[in-house]
Amino acid sequence: MQHRLLLAAALLVSTSAAWAQVPVPAAKQSKATVLTGATLHIGNGQVVEGAAVAFNEGKITYVGPATGFNAGGTAYETVNVSGKHIYPGMILPNSQIGLNEVESVRATLDQQEVGLFNPNVRSVVAYNTDSDITPTLRSNGVLMAQITPVGGMISGSSSVVQLDAWNWEDALVKADAGIHLRWPAMVQQSPDNSPQVAQRRQARQQGLQELEALLAEAKVYKDQKNDRQNLKLASLGGLFDGSKKLFIHADYGKEIVESVRFAQKAGVKQLVIVGGGDALVVADFLKENSIPVIYSGVHALPARAGDDVYLPYKMPGMLQQAGVLFCLDYDASLHGSRNLPFIAGTAVAFGLSKEQAISSVTLNAAKILGVDKQVGSVEVGKDASLVVSEGDILDMRTNKISHAFIQGRQLNLTDKQKYLYDKFNGKYQGDSKAEVGK
């Protein structure tokens, strides 16, 4: 019995030590703060040298040269960040952060619901604020994310959250602002008239017919008074008055055009293309219809054998030149999402200017997700969600975040990797003379 009690105590201690690695959410801003002396990248393309950024009660109160700052009777705590850079907190769109922890452990996966049409699924209610992955994003300057479901044809609704909270309710920035549609891939005609190909084409056509009927029913349902609520139909209502956006996941050029025309015919007001591998091919069509793109493939291989091997790297710069509003996401791996600033850095090396690249992961993303009045740039009246880096935030060699704030709250930038680095660095530095294996 005593042995079991000792074992239970040991397990409790080890569990407590493990939880100690998870940073506690920051407390509400209690005193006015001004950051002075840094180079400010506003997020809209403007840069201010020797800048000051002041914020109080979670809101930005001054942005401009440090010499022009006037406290106006408010007692500001001054933080000298001379020689560093201030940026808006970056935003990660189209992410399963907090829904997917360990691929091989089913109990940690909650990003997908069964069935083909699930517009009423709210991904944010499954969002886990205690994910070990989230602190690694904050350490690289990513402070917000769009929590997006997967699976089926209509996966559900996404919400925008800030990445330092006790629970999903506290994390919410914009709830259920978009419905996600996975456009079915076109099926090429088989030269030998294969029955399998014919079946796939028939299944695709049937799925689109069911989708068309669902949207038509939802549009009628929205304009009627109903004694009993239909959650599926009610969740789609916002698509027809513009209060919700339809995020269409499609890559192939013909599929992009087909899906947009399908949605417009159904009466959907606001559209966003996610993925957009062929966005450049249909750039004129997207621009003409004012449809933005969440581009997913910067660190990917070209889709076609004859394409320029560097085309994915060049794509952001080309979309910028074509006048298409776009932002970048990181869909290569969930755990690699912390590398969002570095894919923007890759785009800088292949045609995008540095300030345009910063906009592609800050203000552009905020505009596309519908939160640009609140975040996305360092401007007076917006949330004080910003980061301070010792060097260029888009370069993995100089991206070293010294301060990060969400709604004025200064974050604890500890994460699991830093904890393990400090743990074993201390061990081997203290034992540097020991022989390997002893």
Side-chain angles (χ1 to χ4, degrees), residues 74-114:
T74 303
Y76 278 86
E77 178 187 30
T78 300
V79 179
N80 188 346
V81 288
S82 297
K84 299 181 181 181
H85 297 258
I86 301 175
Y87 300 89
M90 286 177 282
I91 304 171
L92 175 67
N94 186 34
S95 174
Q96 285 74 56
I97 186 79
L99 303 180
N100 183 337
E101 193 75 8
V102 182
E103 289 285 355
S104 59
V105 181
R106 186 179 179 185
T108 70
L109 308 181
D110 204 4
Q111 75 276 23
Q112 180 174 347
E113 192 56 81
V114 298

Side-chain angles (χ1 to χ4, degrees), residues 141-171:
V142 181
L143 303 186
M144 296 177 62
Q146 179 193 29
I147 308 305
T148 305
V150 300
M153 188 175 288
I154 297 184
S155 306
S157 67
S158 63
S159 297
V160 181
V161 300
Q162 51 88 0
L163 301 181
D164 184 66
W166 287 99
N167 50 57
W168 68 264
E169 293 95 337
D170 293 342

Side-chain angles (χ1 to χ4, degrees), residues 248-252 256 273-281 286 293-297 315 319:
I248 303 175
H249 296 248
D251 281 299
Y252 185 40
I256 292 174
I273 296 297
V274 183
D278 273 355
L280 187 63
V281 177
L286 294 172
V293 175
I294 298 176
Y295 182 63
S296 302
M315 185 67 76
L319 290 175

Side-chain angles (χ1 to χ4, degrees), residues 18 20-23 101-102 131-139 335 413-424:
Q21 299 170 23
V22 179
E101 193 75 8
V102 182
S131 169
D132 278 339
I133 305 172
T134 302
T136 68
L137 272 68
R138 299 198 299 254
S139 293
H335 290 76
L413 293 175
T414 301
D415 59 45
K416 189 173 183 179
Q417 282 70 27
K418 289 179 180 178
Y419 169 83
L420 293 173
Y421 174 84
D422 291 339
K423 174 181 177 180
F424 291 103

Side-chain angles (χ1 to χ4, degrees), residues 280-329:
L280 187 63
V281 177
V282 294
D284 291 341
F285 174 80
L286 294 172
K287 186 177 179 181
E288 180 183 337
N289 289 275
S290 302
I291 298 173
V293 175
I294 298 176
Y295 182 63
S296 302
V298 175
H299 282 183
L301 291 172
R304 299 173 181 84
D307 286 344
D308 178 359
V309 70
Y310 296 117
L311 180 60
Y313 300 163
K314 297 176 181 177
M315 185 67 76
M318 291 176 168
L319 290 175
Q320 182 75 34
Q321 291 179 358
V324 176
L325 176 63
F326 73 95
C327 69
L328 303 178
D329 81 351

